[in-house]
């Protein structure tokens, strides 16, 4: 089968011929229907050796959905042909965080030596994906795997961040979303679906501001020095109670800190490598938290799938054949994707 593999650090990935994996005891082979192209993959292609503690080569694609194709010995609970979403952070399955379905916080990640398929182990940019356990598969019901793939990261990650911030998202309170890309457009939809809060969005691309309004933002502002004043004006001068920075550059973290409210929270989801010099006084408003997010739990993914099944959220996608996977990443890098690029190895 064909698989899009990262074979050397800071080199373009290659579409290579590799054997179809055989599921061993406890494992499940999934035929990939959709694999989302995440901006984290672009970071991975750029990071030097050692930035992420995993070995090469591996197949990219950590945002996957498809159909159960074959079961290893002893696998129960899933049937061949069943449509499934693949929960992406693959932990040990046994430690306390894993047992509460938070494999994104697995205590044994360092021993495992990989973060999941597409992040150290072979991922979904291929015809088939080997999943280590049926516990990582969630039933899709009537959702099409090509539409559902982005739910497992582009939606799950902001969902996890928003759930943590729900006590601050009452009527009259404000959430600001910086970066309305794959994750950001889902963040706006999720805020709309889950909360009565006012939503303001910021992006440097004018097309994304249109998208932000389409998916539920009350106001959308161009990134730049004026954005601070515009957000303050939209919040009676007080700032936003919840700021989700889904870019994570020096520039956006500074913006996030500048528009946050007293007692607010700034959550940096983006991995662009930015920083801020923290001081007890003057950098953030009084009693404002600064935090990060890493992916989400399997139970939260079940909740995200419920929202999608009920029609309350929908990822905007552009589909690509597996042969065009390199073009999909080029389009993502160039900012040409509204929503998420999804690679569809079983047909667009
Ligand atoms: P994307 O490329 O689809 O979207 C990024 C958006 O940010 C684009 O709309 C772009 O125009 C906008 N943008 C870029 N620079 C900007 C700036 N200076 N000001 C305002 N807007 C700006 O990317 P994505 O797939 O949504 O990923 C976003 C970030 O989230 C990436 O850094 C990715 O690695 C990270 N990520 C983190 C997690 C996690 O668990 N923490 C999970 C997935 C992705
Ligand atoms: Zn991702
Ligand atoms: Zn664990």
């Amino acid at each position: 089968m064909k698989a899009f593999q990262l074979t050397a650090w800071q080199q373009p990935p290659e579409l290579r011929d590799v054997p179809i994996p055989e599921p061993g005891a406890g494992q499940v082979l999934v035929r990939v229907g959709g694999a989302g192209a995440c901006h984290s993959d672009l970071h991975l292609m750029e990071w030097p050796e050692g930035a992420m503690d995993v070995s090469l080569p591996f197949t990219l694609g950590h945002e996957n959905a498809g159909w159960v194709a074959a079961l290893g010995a002893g696998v129960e609970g899933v049937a061949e042909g069943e449509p499934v979403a693949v929960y992406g952070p693959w932990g040990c399955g046994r430690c306390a965080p894993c047992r509460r379905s938070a494999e994104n916080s697995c205590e044994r990640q360092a021993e495992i030596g990989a973060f999941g398929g597409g992040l150290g182990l072979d991922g979904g940019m291929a015809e088939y994906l080997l999943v280590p356990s049926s516990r990582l598969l969630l039933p899709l019901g009537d959702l099409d795997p090509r539409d559902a793939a982005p739910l497992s990261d582009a939606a799950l990650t902001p969902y996890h961040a928003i759930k943590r911030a729900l006590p601050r998202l009452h009527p009259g309170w404000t959430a600001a979303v910086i970066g309305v890309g794959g994750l950001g457009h889902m963040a706006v939809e999720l805020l709309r679906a889950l909360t009565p809060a006012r939503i303001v969005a910021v992006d440097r691309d004018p097309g994304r501001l249109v998208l932000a309004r389409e998916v539920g933002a009350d106001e959308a502002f161009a990134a730049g020095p004026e954005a601070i004043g515009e957000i303050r004006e939209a919040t009676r001068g007080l700032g936003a109670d919840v700021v989700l920075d889904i870019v994570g550059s020096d520039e956006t973290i500074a913006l996030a800190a500048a528009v946050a409210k007293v007692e607010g929270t700034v959550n940096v989801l983006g991995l662009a490598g930015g920083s801020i010099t923290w001081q007890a006084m003057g950098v953030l408003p009084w009693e404002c938290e600064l935090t990060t997010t890493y992916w989400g739990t399997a139970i939260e993914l079940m909740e995200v799938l419920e929202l999608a099944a009920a029609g309350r959220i929908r990822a905007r996608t552009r589909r690509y054949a597996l042969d065009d996977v390199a073009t999909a990443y080029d389009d993502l890098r160039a900012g040409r994707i509204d929503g998420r690029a999804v690679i569809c190895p079983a047909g667009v």
Side-chain angles (χ1 to χ4, degrees), residues 175-208:
V177 176
I178 304 173
V180 191
L183 270 71
H185 88 292
M186 295 308 306
V188 172
E189 289 196 18
L190 287 161
L191 285 161
R192 185 48 77 225
L194 296 174
T195 84
R198 185 191 304 113
I199 304 165
V200 301
V202 178
D203 204 290
R204 65 179 179 192
D205 179 324
R208 298 295 139 66

Side-chain angles (χ1 to χ4, degrees), residues 91-99 102-103 105-109 112:
C92 72
R94 305 192 62 81
C95 71
C98 282
R99 280 169 186 258
E103 302 204 19
S105 300
C106 175
E107 292 174 358
R108 301 211 177 92
Q109 206 69 68
I112 295 170

Side-chain angles (χ1 to χ4, degrees), residues 26 109 211 288 317 345:
Q109 206 69 68
L211 174 65
C288 179
T317 61

Side-chain angles (χ1 to χ4, degrees), residues 11-335:
Q11 295 298 320
E14 293 168 37
L15 198 55
R16 302 165 101 196
D17 273 314
V18 300
I20 296 177
E22 294 266 334
Q27 300 176 329
V28 181
L29 188 69
V30 170
R31 180 170 176 239
V32 180
C38 179
H39 203 111
S40 299
D41 296 333
L42 298 181
H43 296 317
L44 259 175
M45 293 174 201
E46 283 156 16
W47 284 337
E49 181 165 11
M52 200 179 180
D53 196 11
V54 295
S55 359
L56 301 180
F58 63 84
T59 305
L60 288 169
H62 54 268
E63 192 179 271
N64 306 305
W67 304 269
V68 173
L71 305 178
V75 174
E76 286 175 2
V78 287
E80 272 180 41
E82 190 182 338
V84 286
V86 182
Y87 174 64
W90 295 350
C92 72
R94 305 192 62 81
C95 71
C98 282
R99 280 169 186 258
R100 62 177 163 82
S101 101
E103 302 204 19
N104 52 324
S105 300
C106 175
E107 292 174 358
R108 301 211 177 92
Q109 206 69 68
E111 280 167 54
I112 295 170
F115 298 85
L119 295 167
L121 296 169
D122 288 333
M125 299 286 169
E127 289 160 58
Y128 292 90
L129 165 66
L130 188 63
V131 178
S133 167
S134 63
R135 80 168 189 280
L136 302 164
L137 301 177
L138 301 178
L140 272 190
D142 293 333
L143 294 171
D144 185 316
R146 295 168 296 190
D147 300 329
L151 300 175
S152 68
D153 178 19
L156 174 59
T157 303
Y159 184 80
H160 181 58
I162 292 163
K163 264 201 117 174
R164 287 168 62 197
L166 279 181
R168 289 182 165 96
L169 293 167
H170 304 299
W173 296 42
T174 302
V177 176
I178 304 173
V180 191
L183 270 71
H185 88 292
M186 295 308 306
V188 172
E189 289 196 18
L190 287 161
L191 285 161
R192 185 48 77 225
L194 296 174
T195 84
R198 185 191 304 113
I199 304 165
V200 301
V202 178
D203 204 290
R204 65 179 179 192
D205 179 324
R208 298 295 139 66
L209 301 181
V210 175
L211 174 65
R213 288 199 186 87
E214 271 172 22
V215 297
D218 295 293
E219 313 220 36
F221 303 121
E226 300 81 36
I228 299 175
E230 286 166 335
I231 293 176
R232 295 235 158 244
E233 203 175 307
T235 55
R236 293 179 290 125
L238 299 172
D241 301 278
V242 174
V243 185
L244 305 178
D245 175 4
I246 316 187
V247 178
S249 64
D250 285 348
E251 206 184 348
T252 58
I253 298 173
L255 173 64
V259 300
K261 189 180 170 186
V262 168
E263 290 187 354
T265 184
V266 172
N267 194 330
V268 183
L269 288 74
L271 303 176
S275 60
I276 190 167
T277 305
W278 187 86
Q279 285 180 346
M281 206 173 84
V283 175
L284 285 164
W286 287 115
E287 304 204 8
C288 179
E289 294 174 358
L290 176 60
T291 186
T292 58
T293 288
Y294 178 60
W295 225 326
T297 73
I299 291 174
E300 287 168 342
L301 178 54
M302 293 171 81
E303 293 167 358
V304 166
L305 294 172
E306 291 285 353
L307 283 171
R312 310 279 299 276
I313 58 167
R314 178 174 68 84
R316 304 307 197 256
T317 61
R318 189 192 296 178
R319 296 177 182 176
Y320 293 80
L322 182 55
D323 281 337
D324 299 328
V325 56
T327 309
Y329 281 111
D330 287 346
D331 288 346
L332 177 64
R333 189 180 289 107

